[in-house]
Amino acid sequence: RPFYYRYDAAAETAVKVRARPRASDKSLERFAQSPDGALLAFTAKDGRVLLADARRSCWLPSELKMSGTARAVAFSERCVYASGGDATVYCWDVRSSRCLATLPDAGASPTSTLACAPNDDGGHWLFVGSEAGVVNVYSRGASPAAAPTFS
């Protein structure tokens, strides 16, 4: 479905947000919400990641583009991660939409899911689930461009 709904539980209202004009995406099913709730990231055709302002229910003009297909997205505090058929995880700065780093996932099986969780050193854990059923866990430092380590 080329739309999503924004629900306001307090006001008991729903707003239908249609896909971007001239977009050929057939579905907006795979998405992630930023930790502060301000942004949404959707996987799209041709390795694109679409960003939307969750509070104003509008699309942001910038698109993130990766090689291969986009199958999974996740947010950390400062970054949005995306990965897909090429088993490479891309890390973008949320503010500038600039690609900060790429991480080839161990095992090279296409990615099916991504997740982030804070850790004790000011960074976060990055969980990369593959179609083969393997979940690799990476420790990311406070700097998004820092080299990841396996855990």
Side-chain angles (χ1 to χ4, degrees):
R1 292 173 173 70
F3 58 87
Y4 70 93
Y5 284 99
R6 178 183 171 267
Y7 294 100
D8 185 339
E12 298 179 357
T13 60
V15 175
K16 185 176 184 176
V17 180
R18 296 200 182 276
R20 297 173 79 157
R22 298 181 308 270
S24 61
D25 300 303
K26 295 180 181 175
S27 173
L28 295 174
E29 295 174 6
R30 294 186 212 147
F31 71 97
Q33 184 175 20
S34 63
D36 63 1
L39 293 175
L40 298 172
F42 294 89
T43 61
K45 286 177 60 175
D46 303 322
R48 295 177 303 125
V49 176
L50 308 176
L51 298 175
D53 184 320
R55 295 187 176 127
R56 294 185 301 174
S57 302
C58 65
W59 295 101
L60 299 181
S62 60
E63 278 184 7
L64 309 176
K65 178 74 172 105
M66 56 188 267
S67 301
T69 58
R71 295 185 181 180
V73 290
F75 279 94
S76 69
E77 290 295 327
R78 297 177 200 90
C79 301
V80 60
Y81 290 95
S83 188
D86 63 354
T88 300
V89 180
Y90 295 79
C91 173
W92 285 281
D93 178 62
V94 172
R95 291 188 181 130
S96 69
S97 298
R98 187 173 62 91
C99 185
L100 300 175
T102 58
L103 166 69
D105 186 34
S109 180
T111 304
S112 61
T113 190
L114 293 172
C116 290
N119 63 18
D120 295 335
D121 67 1
H124 59 275
W125 298 106
L126 174 62
F127 302 90
V128 182
S130 71
E131 287 182 352
V134 176
V135 177
N136 291 314
V137 181
Y138 301 94
S139 176
R140 301 288 292 174
S143 167
T149 57
F150 287 99
S151 295

